[in-house]
Amino acid sequence: MASADLTKILLDALDDERKAEAAYAAVIAKFGPVQPFSNIIGAEQRHAAALERQLERLGVAVPSNLWSGKGIAPSSLREACESAIQGEIENIALYDRLIPMIEDQAARQVMEALQAASRERHLPAFRRCLERERRRGS
């Protein structure tokens, strides 16, 4: 059984991953399957699933997704890229705060991998998106 602290940590991370997925789904619904949103939404789903597996491993019930269908797309793709950059920066900072509190090695490894994906793949992809949109003048 997970400690209350580890449970809260995993639930906080899961909530953040689900929030990102909902935001990216809203962008896709508004603008179509645009890159990198159409690729990264799948990664967010995998991130949430990895956290859900940790909760299940620890005997914690996985809560329903309160973010499903609640994402709001900005008015332009440029704004969507800017918002995604901010969201990924906040996600990285969340993991910076949470990871040091984790003693469970499996949970720690999962969260370190998720943070690395946000830092090394998602954030650069959204920064390229913003540059592309700036060049387009949108």
Side-chain angles (χ1 to χ4, degrees):
M1 191 63 160
S3 71
D5 289 343
L6 181 55
T7 297
K8 181 170 180 358
I9 288 167
L10 290 169
L11 291 173
D12 286 351
L14 178 60
D15 185 68
D16 195 66
E17 298 294 347
R18 287 175 169 177
K19 181 173 84 171
E21 179 188 346
Y24 303 161
V27 170
I28 292 166
K30 184 170 187 172
F31 299 106
V34 293
Q35 294 293 337
F37 295 92
S38 58
N39 283 346
I40 294 178
I41 192 170
E44 299 299 350
Q45 292 163 345
R46 288 187 299 277
H47 291 190
L51 292 164
E52 289 169 1
R53 284 191 299 275
Q54 289 304 304
L55 289 166
E56 290 166 352
R57 175 182 68 85
L58 297 165
V60 177
V62 175
S64 60
N65 184 349
L66 301 177
W67 288 102
S68 186
K70 293 186 179 168
I72 299 172
S75 59
S76 72
L77 198 49
R78 179 179 176 164
E79 290 174 20
C81 296
E82 290 170 344
S83 179
I85 289 167
Q86 186 59 41
E88 293 295 337
I89 289 169
E90 290 171 6
N91 178 263
I92 292 163
L94 174 70
Y95 284 122
D96 278 342
R97 185 171 50 79
L98 297 178
I99 290 170
M101 297 187 283
I102 302 172
E103 293 179 18
D104 182 278
Q105 276 308 109
R108 185 183 195 97
Q109 286 176 332
V110 165
M111 291 185 63
E112 287 172 343
L114 300 183
Q115 182 186 44
S118 290
R119 180 185 293 118
E120 297 165 14
R121 292 190 289 281
H122 302 184
L123 185 56
F126 286 124
R127 285 182 170 149
R128 287 189 301 273
C129 173
L130 179 58
E131 286 307 310
R132 182 183 68 230
E133 292 307 308
R134 283 181 175 153
R135 284 192 303 274
R136 285 186 183 160
S138 60

PDB file of all heavy atoms in Angstrom, residues 72-111:
ATOM      1  N   ILE A  72      -9.618  23.847 -23.341  1.00  0.00           N
ATOM      2  CA  ILE A  72     -10.057  25.009 -24.113  1.00  0.00           C
ATOM      3  C   ILE A  72      -8.932  25.402 -25.054  1.00  0.00           C
ATOM      4  O   ILE A  72      -7.808  25.656 -24.612  1.00  0.00           O
ATOM      5  CB  ILE A  72     -10.426  26.182 -23.188  1.00  0.00           C
ATOM      6  CG1 ILE A  72     -11.583  25.766 -22.281  1.00  0.00           C
ATOM      7  CG2 ILE A  72     -10.780  27.425 -24.002  1.00  0.00           C
ATOM      8  CD1 ILE A  72     -11.900  26.767 -21.194  1.00  0.00           C
ATOM      9  N   ALA A  73      -9.260  25.474 -26.328  1.00  0.00           N
ATOM     10  CA  ALA A  73      -8.251  25.852 -27.317  1.00  0.00           C
ATOM     11  C   ALA A  73      -8.155  27.369 -27.408  1.00  0.00           C
ATOM     12  O   ALA A  73      -9.176  28.049 -27.441  1.00  0.00           O
ATOM     13  CB  ALA A  73      -8.616  25.272 -28.678  1.00  0.00           C
ATOM     14  N   PRO A  74      -6.945  27.886 -27.472  1.00  0.00           N
ATOM     15  CA  PRO A  74      -6.767  29.321 -27.701  1.00  0.00           C
ATOM     16  C   PRO A  74      -7.296  29.707 -29.086  1.00  0.00           C
ATOM     17  O   PRO A  74      -7.627  28.849 -29.909  1.00  0.00           O
ATOM     18  CB  PRO A  74      -5.251  29.504 -27.619  1.00  0.00           C
ATOM     19  CG  PRO A  74      -4.762  28.338 -26.834  1.00  0.00           C
ATOM     20  CD  PRO A  74      -5.680  27.209 -27.213  1.00  0.00           C
ATOM     21  N   SER A  75      -7.323  30.999 -29.368  1.00  0.00           N
ATOM     22  CA  SER A  75      -7.914  31.472 -30.621  1.00  0.00           C
ATOM     23  C   SER A  75      -7.022  31.246 -31.842  1.00  0.00           C
ATOM     24  O   SER A  75      -7.511  31.240 -32.960  1.00  0.00           O
ATOM     25  CB  SER A  75      -8.283  32.948 -30.511  1.00  0.00           C
ATOM     26  OG  SER A  75      -7.136  33.705 -30.213  1.00  0.00           O
ATOM     27  N   SER A  76      -5.723  31.044 -31.627  1.00  0.00           N
ATOM     28  CA  SER A  76      -4.824  30.800 -32.759  1.00  0.00           C
ATOM     29  C   SER A  76      -3.875  29.656 -32.427  1.00  0.00           C
ATOM     30  O   SER A  76      -3.650  29.335 -31.257  1.00  0.00           O
ATOM     31  CB  SER A  76      -4.022  32.058 -33.085  1.00  0.00           C
ATOM     32  OG  SER A  76      -3.051  32.296 -32.085  1.00  0.00           O
ATOM     33  N   LEU A  77      -3.314  29.105 -33.473  1.00  0.00           N
ATOM     34  CA  LEU A  77      -2.335  28.040 -33.276  1.00  0.00           C
ATOM     35  C   LEU A  77      -1.079  28.588 -32.604  1.00  0.00           C
ATOM     36  O   LEU A  77      -0.464  27.909 -31.782  1.00  0.00           O
ATOM     37  CB  LEU A  77      -2.005  27.390 -34.622  1.00  0.00           C
ATOM     38  CG  LEU A  77      -1.350  26.026 -34.593  1.00  0.00           C
ATOM     39  CD1 LEU A  77      -2.071  25.064 -33.666  1.00  0.00           C
ATOM     40  CD2 LEU A  77      -1.270  25.458 -35.986  1.00  0.00           C
ATOM     41  N   ARG A  78      -0.730  29.811 -32.915  1.00  0.00           N
ATOM     42  CA  ARG A  78       0.418  30.441 -32.247  1.00  0.00           C
ATOM     43  C   ARG A  78       0.184  30.494 -30.737  1.00  0.00           C
ATOM     44  O   ARG A  78       1.065  30.142 -29.947  1.00  0.00           O
ATOM     45  CB  ARG A  78       0.645  31.844 -32.803  1.00  0.00           C
ATOM     46  CG  ARG A  78       1.799  32.562 -32.135  1.00  0.00           C
ATOM     47  CD  ARG A  78       2.000  33.930 -32.747  1.00  0.00           C
ATOM     48  NE  ARG A  78       3.046  34.646 -32.055  1.00  0.00           N
ATOM     49  CZ  ARG A  78       3.644  35.706 -32.519  1.00  0.00           C
ATOM     50  NH1 ARG A  78       3.312  36.196 -33.695  1.00  0.00           N
ATOM     51  NH2 ARG A  78       4.573  36.315 -31.826  1.00  0.00           N
ATOM     52  N   GLU A  79      -1.009  30.936 -30.328  1.00  0.00           N
ATOM     53  CA  GLU A  79      -1.331  30.981 -28.897  1.00  0.00           C
ATOM     54  C   GLU A  79      -1.350  29.580 -28.293  1.00  0.00           C
ATOM     55  O   GLU A  79      -0.962  29.397 -27.138  1.00  0.00           O
ATOM     56  CB  GLU A  79      -2.672  31.672 -28.680  1.00  0.00           C
ATOM     57  CG  GLU A  79      -2.647  33.158 -28.951  1.00  0.00           C
ATOM     58  CD  GLU A  79      -4.022  33.793 -28.870  1.00  0.00           C
ATOM     59  OE1 GLU A  79      -4.934  33.202 -28.257  1.00  0.00           O
ATOM     60  OE2 GLU A  79      -4.184  34.890 -29.438  1.00  0.00           O
ATOM     61  N   ALA A  80      -1.797  28.601 -29.074  1.00  0.00           N
ATOM     62  CA  ALA A  80      -1.806  27.220 -28.585  1.00  0.00           C
ATOM     63  C   ALA A  80      -0.384  26.735 -28.319  1.00  0.00           C
ATOM     64  O   ALA A  80      -0.122  26.085 -27.302  1.00  0.00           O
ATOM     65  CB  ALA A  80      -2.507  26.306 -29.591  1.00  0.00           C
ATOM     66  N   CYS A  81       0.536  27.085 -29.209  1.00  0.00           N
ATOM     67  CA  CYS A  81       1.941  26.706 -29.010  1.00  0.00           C
ATOM     68  C   CYS A  81       2.510  27.397 -27.779  1.00  0.00           C
ATOM     69  O   CYS A  81       3.210  26.771 -26.982  1.00  0.00           O
ATOM     70  CB  CYS A  81       2.769  27.049 -30.245  1.00  0.00           C
ATOM     71  SG  CYS A  81       2.292  26.133 -31.725  1.00  0.00           S
ATOM     72  N   GLU A  82       2.205  28.690 -27.619  1.00  0.00           N
ATOM     73  CA  GLU A  82       2.674  29.432 -26.446  1.00  0.00           C
ATOM     74  C   GLU A  82       2.134  28.818 -25.157  1.00  0.00           C
ATOM     75  O   GLU A  82       2.866  28.653 -24.184  1.00  0.00           O
ATOM     76  CB  GLU A  82       2.255  30.902 -26.543  1.00  0.00           C
ATOM     77  CG  GLU A  82       2.985  31.668 -27.614  1.00  0.00           C
ATOM     78  CD  GLU A  82       2.399  33.052 -27.885  1.00  0.00           C
ATOM     79  OE1 GLU A  82       1.246  33.315 -27.473  1.00  0.00           O
ATOM     80  OE2 GLU A  82       3.101  33.866 -28.519  1.00  0.00           O
ATOM     81  N   SER A  83       0.855  28.483 -25.173  1.00  0.00           N
ATOM     82  CA  SER A  83       0.225  27.884 -23.996  1.00  0.00           C
ATOM     83  C   SER A  83       0.843  26.512 -23.687  1.00  0.00           C
ATOM     84  O   SER A  83       1.077  26.174 -22.520  1.00  0.00           O
ATOM     85  CB  SER A  83      -1.276  27.759 -24.234  1.00  0.00           C
ATOM     86  OG  SER A  83      -1.906  27.164 -23.130  1.00  0.00           O
ATOM     87  N   ALA A  84       1.107  25.744 -24.729  1.00  0.00           N
ATOM     88  CA  ALA A  84       1.708  24.420 -24.530  1.00  0.00           C
ATOM     89  C   ALA A  84       3.123  24.541 -23.961  1.00  0.00           C
ATOM     90  O   ALA A  84       3.510  23.748 -23.103  1.00  0.00           O
ATOM     91  CB  ALA A  84       1.718  23.648 -25.848  1.00  0.00           C
ATOM     92  N   ILE A  85       3.868  25.534 -24.423  1.00  0.00           N
ATOM     93  CA  ILE A  85       5.210  25.761 -23.874  1.00  0.00           C
ATOM     94  C   ILE A  85       5.104  26.037 -22.383  1.00  0.00           C
ATOM     95  O   ILE A  85       5.824  25.440 -21.576  1.00  0.00           O
ATOM     96  CB  ILE A  85       5.915  26.933 -24.604  1.00  0.00           C
ATOM     97  CG1 ILE A  85       6.303  26.505 -26.017  1.00  0.00           C
ATOM     98  CG2 ILE A  85       7.139  27.411 -23.817  1.00  0.00           C
ATOM     99  CD1 ILE A  85       6.718  27.657 -26.924  1.00  0.00           C
ATOM    100  N   GLN A  86       4.202  26.928 -22.022  1.00  0.00           N
ATOM    101  CA  GLN A  86       4.025  27.247 -20.600  1.00  0.00           C
ATOM    102  C   GLN A  86       3.596  26.012 -19.811  1.00  0.00           C
ATOM    103  O   GLN A  86       4.081  25.768 -18.710  1.00  0.00           O
ATOM    104  CB  GLN A  86       3.013  28.383 -20.426  1.00  0.00           C
ATOM    105  CG  GLN A  86       2.890  28.860 -18.999  1.00  0.00           C
ATOM    106  CD  GLN A  86       4.204  29.368 -18.430  1.00  0.00           C
ATOM    107  OE1 GLN A  86       4.969  30.044 -19.095  1.00  0.00           O
ATOM    108  NE2 GLN A  86       4.490  29.024 -17.182  1.00  0.00           N
ATOM    109  N   GLY A  87       2.687  25.232 -20.374  1.00  0.00           N
ATOM    110  CA  GLY A  87       2.234  24.019 -19.701  1.00  0.00           C
ATOM    111  C   GLY A  87       3.354  23.013 -19.483  1.00  0.00           C
ATOM    112  O   GLY A  87       3.451  22.401 -18.414  1.00  0.00           O
ATOM    113  N   GLU A  88       4.212  22.849 -20.483  1.00  0.00           N
ATOM    114  CA  GLU A  88       5.333  21.911 -20.337  1.00  0.00           C
ATOM    115  C   GLU A  88       6.354  22.432 -19.321  1.00  0.00           C
ATOM    116  O   GLU A  88       6.898  21.657 -18.544  1.00  0.00           O
ATOM    117  CB  GLU A  88       5.993  21.642 -21.693  1.00  0.00           C
ATOM    118  CG  GLU A  88       5.111  20.886 -22.676  1.00  0.00           C
ATOM    119  CD  GLU A  88       4.754  19.464 -22.263  1.00  0.00           C
ATOM    120  OE1 GLU A  88       5.482  18.851 -21.453  1.00  0.00           O
ATOM    121  OE2 GLU A  88       3.737  18.957 -22.761  1.00  0.00           O
ATOM    122  N   ILE A  89       6.592  23.743 -19.314  1.00  0.00           N
ATOM    123  CA  ILE A  89       7.498  24.321 -18.311  1.00  0.00           C
ATOM    124  C   ILE A  89       6.945  24.072 -16.908  1.00  0.00           C
ATOM    125  O   ILE A  89       7.678  23.687 -15.993  1.00  0.00           O
ATOM    126  CB  ILE A  89       7.717  25.825 -18.584  1.00  0.00           C
ATOM    127  CG1 ILE A  89       8.581  26.009 -19.840  1.00  0.00           C
ATOM    128  CG2 ILE A  89       8.343  26.518 -17.372  1.00  0.00           C
ATOM    129  CD1 ILE A  89       8.651  27.433 -20.349  1.00  0.00           C
ATOM    130  N   GLU A  90       5.652  24.265 -16.746  1.00  0.00           N
ATOM    131  CA  GLU A  90       5.018  24.025 -15.440  1.00  0.00           C
ATOM    132  C   GLU A  90       5.068  22.551 -15.071  1.00  0.00           C
ATOM    133  O   GLU A  90       5.255  22.200 -13.900  1.00  0.00           O
ATOM    134  CB  GLU A  90       3.588  24.543 -15.456  1.00  0.00           C
ATOM    135  CG  GLU A  90       3.518  26.063 -15.491  1.00  0.00           C
ATOM    136  CD  GLU A  90       2.114  26.609 -15.724  1.00  0.00           C
ATOM    137  OE1 GLU A  90       1.138  25.825 -15.747  1.00  0.00           O
ATOM    138  OE2 GLU A  90       2.003  27.835 -15.900  1.00  0.00           O
ATOM    139  N   ASN A  91       4.903  21.661 -16.064  1.00  0.00           N
ATOM    140  CA  ASN A  91       4.970  20.226 -15.817  1.00  0.00           C
ATOM    141  C   ASN A  91       6.365  19.835 -15.336  1.00  0.00           C
ATOM    142  O   ASN A  91       6.514  19.072 -14.375  1.00  0.00           O
ATOM    143  CB  ASN A  91       4.592  19.467 -17.095  1.00  0.00           C
ATOM    144  CG  ASN A  91       4.677  17.973 -16.942  1.00  0.00           C
ATOM    145  OD1 ASN A  91       5.676  17.369 -17.313  1.00  0.00           O
ATOM    146  ND2 ASN A  91       3.636  17.371 -16.405  1.00  0.00           N
ATOM    147  N   ILE A  92       7.384  20.359 -15.969  1.00  0.00           N
ATOM    148  CA  ILE A  92       8.771  20.077 -15.572  1.00  0.00           C
ATOM    149  C   ILE A  92       9.008  20.570 -14.143  1.00  0.00           C
ATOM    150  O   ILE A  92       9.609  19.867 -13.323  1.00  0.00           O
ATOM    151  CB  ILE A  92       9.753  20.713 -16.575  1.00  0.00           C
ATOM    152  CG1 ILE A  92       9.638  20.004 -17.930  1.00  0.00           C
ATOM    153  CG2 ILE A  92      11.189  20.665 -16.042  1.00  0.00           C
ATOM    154  CD1 ILE A  92      10.252  20.780 -19.094  1.00  0.00           C
ATOM    155  N   ALA A  93       8.508  21.759 -13.843  1.00  0.00           N
ATOM    156  CA  ALA A  93       8.663  22.310 -12.485  1.00  0.00           C
ATOM    157  C   ALA A  93       7.914  21.467 -11.455  1.00  0.00           C
ATOM    158  O   ALA A  93       8.402  21.268 -10.337  1.00  0.00           O
ATOM    159  CB  ALA A  93       8.164  23.756 -12.451  1.00  0.00           C
ATOM    160  N   LEU A  94       6.744  20.964 -11.824  1.00  0.00           N
ATOM    161  CA  LEU A  94       5.989  20.093 -10.916  1.00  0.00           C
ATOM    162  C   LEU A  94       6.826  18.860 -10.580  1.00  0.00           C
ATOM    163  O   LEU A  94       6.962  18.487  -9.412  1.00  0.00           O
ATOM    164  CB  LEU A  94       4.662  19.684 -11.562  1.00  0.00           C
ATOM    165  CG  LEU A  94       3.832  18.665 -10.774  1.00  0.00           C
ATOM    166  CD1 LEU A  94       3.262  19.284  -9.500  1.00  0.00           C
ATOM    167  CD2 LEU A  94       2.719  18.091 -11.650  1.00  0.00           C
ATOM    168  N   TYR A  95       7.408  18.240 -11.600  1.00  0.00           N
ATOM    169  CA  TYR A  95       8.235  17.067 -11.350  1.00  0.00           C
ATOM    170  C   TYR A  95       9.489  17.430 -10.554  1.00  0.00           C
ATOM    171  O   TYR A  95       9.926  16.649  -9.713  1.00  0.00           O
ATOM    172  CB  TYR A  95       8.592  16.363 -12.661  1.00  0.00           C
ATOM    173  CG  TYR A  95       7.435  15.567 -13.223  1.00  0.00           C
ATOM    174  CD1 TYR A  95       6.935  15.818 -14.492  1.00  0.00           C
ATOM    175  CD2 TYR A  95       6.834  14.556 -12.476  1.00  0.00           C
ATOM    176  CE1 TYR A  95       5.874  15.082 -15.002  1.00  0.00           C
ATOM    177  CE2 TYR A  95       5.777  13.816 -12.979  1.00  0.00           C
ATOM    178  CZ  TYR A  95       5.302  14.084 -14.241  1.00  0.00           C
ATOM    179  OH  TYR A  95       4.250  13.352 -14.734  1.00  0.00           O
ATOM    180  N   ASP A  96      10.057  18.617 -10.802  1.00  0.00           N
ATOM    181  CA  ASP A  96      11.198  19.071  -9.996  1.00  0.00           C
ATOM    182  C   ASP A  96      10.834  19.099  -8.519  1.00  0.00           C
ATOM    183  O   ASP A  96      11.656  18.774  -7.664  1.00  0.00           O
ATOM    184  CB  ASP A  96      11.649  20.478 -10.419  1.00  0.00           C
ATOM    185  CG  ASP A  96      12.554  20.482 -11.630  1.00  0.00           C
ATOM    186  OD1 ASP A  96      13.123  19.426 -11.963  1.00  0.00           O
ATOM    187  OD2 ASP A  96      12.688  21.559 -12.243  1.00  0.00           O
ATOM    188  N   ARG A  97       9.614  19.497  -8.232  1.00  0.00           N
ATOM    189  CA  ARG A  97       9.155  19.598  -6.847  1.00  0.00           C
ATOM    190  C   ARG A  97       8.798  18.221  -6.272  1.00  0.00           C
ATOM    191  O   ARG A  97       9.099  17.929  -5.119  1.00  0.00           O
ATOM    192  CB  ARG A  97       7.936  20.527  -6.796  1.00  0.00           C
ATOM    193  CG  ARG A  97       7.433  20.817  -5.407  1.00  0.00           C
ATOM    194  CD  ARG A  97       6.368  21.899  -5.390  1.00  0.00           C
ATOM    195  NE  ARG A  97       5.267  21.732  -6.321  1.00  0.00           N
ATOM    196  CZ  ARG A  97       4.226  20.905  -6.132  1.00  0.00           C
ATOM    197  NH1 ARG A  97       4.159  20.167  -5.046  1.00  0.00           N
ATOM    198  NH2 ARG A  97       3.261  20.839  -7.025  1.00  0.00           N
ATOM    199  N   LEU A  98       8.174  17.361  -7.078  1.00  0.00           N
ATOM    200  CA  LEU A  98       7.663  16.088  -6.568  1.00  0.00           C
ATOM    201  C   LEU A  98       8.724  14.986  -6.471  1.00  0.00           C
ATOM    202  O   LEU A  98       8.739  14.227  -5.503  1.00  0.00           O
ATOM    203  CB  LEU A  98       6.510  15.593  -7.458  1.00  0.00           C
ATOM    204  CG  LEU A  98       5.256  16.464  -7.513  1.00  0.00           C
ATOM    205  CD1 LEU A  98       4.236  15.855  -8.462  1.00  0.00           C
ATOM    206  CD2 LEU A  98       4.659  16.661  -6.120  1.00  0.00           C
ATOM    207  N   ILE A  99       9.580  14.876  -7.464  1.00  0.00           N
ATOM    208  CA  ILE A  99      10.522  13.750  -7.521  1.00  0.00           C
ATOM    209  C   ILE A  99      11.387  13.622  -6.269  1.00  0.00           C
ATOM    210  O   ILE A  99      11.555  12.508  -5.758  1.00  0.00           O
ATOM    211  CB  ILE A  99      11.359  13.805  -8.817  1.00  0.00           C
ATOM    212  CG1 ILE A  99      10.463  13.472 -10.017  1.00  0.00           C
ATOM    213  CG2 ILE A  99      12.555  12.868  -8.743  1.00  0.00           C
ATOM    214  CD1 ILE A  99      11.100  13.720 -11.380  1.00  0.00           C
ATOM    215  N   PRO A 100      11.929  14.713  -5.738  1.00  0.00           N
ATOM    216  CA  PRO A 100      12.769  14.550  -4.539  1.00  0.00           C
ATOM    217  C   PRO A 100      12.030  13.969  -3.328  1.00  0.00           C
ATOM    218  O   PRO A 100      12.662  13.452  -2.416  1.00  0.00           O
ATOM    219  CB  PRO A 100      13.252  15.975  -4.238  1.00  0.00           C
ATOM    220  CG  PRO A 100      13.163  16.688  -5.540  1.00  0.00           C
ATOM    221  CD  PRO A 100      11.970  16.093  -6.226  1.00  0.00           C
ATOM    222  N   MET A 101      10.720  14.014  -3.328  1.00  0.00           N
ATOM    223  CA  MET A 101       9.943  13.504  -2.204  1.00  0.00           C
ATOM    224  C   MET A 101       9.631  12.011  -2.325  1.00  0.00           C
ATOM    225  O   MET A 101       9.064  11.420  -1.415  1.00  0.00           O
ATOM    226  CB  MET A 101       8.628  14.280  -2.084  1.00  0.00           C
ATOM    227  CG  MET A 101       8.827  15.746  -1.781  1.00  0.00           C
ATOM    228  SD  MET A 101       7.269  16.611  -1.434  1.00  0.00           S
ATOM    229  CE  MET A 101       6.580  16.810  -3.068  1.00  0.00           C
ATOM    230  N   ILE A 102      10.009  11.392  -3.440  1.00  0.00           N
ATOM    231  CA  ILE A 102       9.634   9.998  -3.707  1.00  0.00           C
ATOM    232  C   ILE A 102      10.735   9.047  -3.271  1.00  0.00           C
ATOM    233  O   ILE A 102      11.868   9.136  -3.753  1.00  0.00           O
ATOM    234  CB  ILE A 102       9.336   9.791  -5.207  1.00  0.00           C
ATOM    235  CG1 ILE A 102       8.221  10.727  -5.658  1.00  0.00           C
ATOM    236  CG2 ILE A 102       8.959   8.341  -5.477  1.00  0.00           C
ATOM    237  CD1 ILE A 102       7.999  10.709  -7.150  1.00  0.00           C
ATOM    238  N   GLU A 103      10.390   8.142  -2.390  1.00  0.00           N
ATOM    239  CA  GLU A 103      11.331   7.105  -1.963  1.00  0.00           C
ATOM    240  C   GLU A 103      11.136   5.809  -2.749  1.00  0.00           C
ATOM    241  O   GLU A 103      12.072   5.043  -2.920  1.00  0.00           O
ATOM    242  CB  GLU A 103      11.182   6.850  -0.462  1.00  0.00           C
ATOM    243  CG  GLU A 103      11.623   8.048   0.369  1.00  0.00           C
ATOM    244  CD  GLU A 103      11.468   7.820   1.853  1.00  0.00           C
ATOM    245  OE1 GLU A 103      11.339   6.651   2.291  1.00  0.00           O
ATOM    246  OE2 GLU A 103      11.470   8.821   2.592  1.00  0.00           O
ATOM    247  N   ASP A 104       9.929   5.564  -3.225  1.00  0.00           N
ATOM    248  CA  ASP A 104       9.617   4.353  -3.996  1.00  0.00           C
ATOM    249  C   ASP A 104      10.363   4.423  -5.337  1.00  0.00           C
ATOM    250  O   ASP A 104      10.103   5.314  -6.143  1.00  0.00           O
ATOM    251  CB  ASP A 104       8.106   4.264  -4.211  1.00  0.00           C
ATOM    252  CG  ASP A 104       7.699   3.019  -4.959  1.00  0.00           C
ATOM    253  OD1 ASP A 104       7.794   3.018  -6.206  1.00  0.00           O
ATOM    254  OD2 ASP A 104       7.288   2.051  -4.305  1.00  0.00           O
ATOM    255  N   GLN A 105      11.289   3.495  -5.551  1.00  0.00           N
ATOM    256  CA  GLN A 105      12.153   3.553  -6.733  1.00  0.00           C
ATOM    257  C   GLN A 105      11.379   3.437  -8.039  1.00  0.00           C
ATOM    258  O   GLN A 105      11.693   4.133  -9.006  1.00  0.00           O
ATOM    259  CB  GLN A 105      13.243   2.480  -6.665  1.00  0.00           C
ATOM    260  CG  GLN A 105      14.454   2.909  -5.866  1.00  0.00           C
ATOM    261  CD  GLN A 105      15.022   4.251  -6.295  1.00  0.00           C
ATOM    262  OE1 GLN A 105      14.916   5.244  -5.582  1.00  0.00           O
ATOM    263  NE2 GLN A 105      15.624   4.326  -7.455  1.00  0.00           N
ATOM    264  N   ALA A 106      10.408   2.554  -8.108  1.00  0.00           N
ATOM    265  CA  ALA A 106       9.655   2.383  -9.354  1.00  0.00           C
ATOM    266  C   ALA A 106       8.892   3.653  -9.705  1.00  0.00           C
ATOM    267  O   ALA A 106       8.926   4.113 -10.854  1.00  0.00           O
ATOM    268  CB  ALA A 106       8.693   1.198  -9.245  1.00  0.00           C
ATOM    269  N   ALA A 107       8.233   4.235  -8.729  1.00  0.00           N
ATOM    270  CA  ALA A 107       7.490   5.477  -8.970  1.00  0.00           C
ATOM    271  C   ALA A 107       8.444   6.603  -9.351  1.00  0.00           C
ATOM    272  O   ALA A 107       8.168   7.406 -10.252  1.00  0.00           O
ATOM    273  CB  ALA A 107       6.677   5.858  -7.738  1.00  0.00           C
ATOM    274  N   ARG A 108       9.573   6.644  -8.695  1.00  0.00           N
ATOM    275  CA  ARG A 108      10.566   7.684  -8.988  1.00  0.00           C
ATOM    276  C   ARG A 108      11.076   7.557 -10.428  1.00  0.00           C
ATOM    277  O   ARG A 108      11.192   8.552 -11.148  1.00  0.00           O
ATOM    278  CB  ARG A 108      11.717   7.591  -7.992  1.00  0.00           C
ATOM    279  CG  ARG A 108      12.737   8.691  -8.136  1.00  0.00           C
ATOM    280  CD  ARG A 108      13.901   8.467  -7.151  1.00  0.00           C
ATOM    281  NE  ARG A 108      14.672   9.669  -7.039  1.00  0.00           N
ATOM    282  CZ  ARG A 108      14.536  10.579  -6.089  1.00  0.00           C
ATOM    283  NH1 ARG A 108      13.664  10.409  -5.125  1.00  0.00           N
ATOM    284  NH2 ARG A 108      15.282  11.658  -6.085  1.00  0.00           N
ATOM    285  N   GLN A 109      11.377   6.339 -10.849  1.00  0.00           N
ATOM    286  CA  GLN A 109      11.878   6.119 -12.210  1.00  0.00           C
ATOM    287  C   GLN A 109      10.837   6.525 -13.251  1.00  0.00           C
ATOM    288  O   GLN A 109      11.184   7.143 -14.262  1.00  0.00           O
ATOM    289  CB  GLN A 109      12.281   4.660 -12.406  1.00  0.00           C
ATOM    290  CG  GLN A 109      13.566   4.306 -11.706  1.00  0.00           C
ATOM    291  CD  GLN A 109      13.910   2.838 -11.833  1.00  0.00           C
ATOM    292  OE1 GLN A 109      13.032   1.987 -11.968  1.00  0.00           O
ATOM    293  NE2 GLN A 109      15.196   2.531 -11.796  1.00  0.00           N
ATOM    294  N   VAL A 110       9.580   6.197 -13.002  1.00  0.00           N
ATOM    295  CA  VAL A 110       8.518   6.576 -13.936  1.00  0.00           C
ATOM    296  C   VAL A 110       8.447   8.091 -14.043  1.00  0.00           C
ATOM    297  O   VAL A 110       8.410   8.656 -15.143  1.00  0.00           O
ATOM    298  CB  VAL A 110       7.154   5.981 -13.504  1.00  0.00           C
ATOM    299  CG1 VAL A 110       5.996   6.650 -14.238  1.00  0.00           C
ATOM    300  CG2 VAL A 110       7.139   4.478 -13.739  1.00  0.00           C
ATOM    301  N   MET A 111       8.431   8.753 -12.921  1.00  0.00           N
ATOM    302  CA  MET A 111       8.290  10.208 -12.950  1.00  0.00           C
ATOM    303  C   MET A 111       9.519  10.887 -13.548  1.00  0.00           C
ATOM    304  O   MET A 111       9.387  11.897 -14.246  1.00  0.00           O
ATOM    305  CB  MET A 111       7.944  10.728 -11.566  1.00  0.00           C
ATOM    306  CG  MET A 111       6.506  10.277 -11.205  1.00  0.00           C
ATOM    307  SD  MET A 111       5.855  10.905  -9.676  1.00  0.00           S
ATOM    308  CE  MET A 111       5.797  12.633  -9.948  1.00  0.00           C
TER     309      MET A 111
END
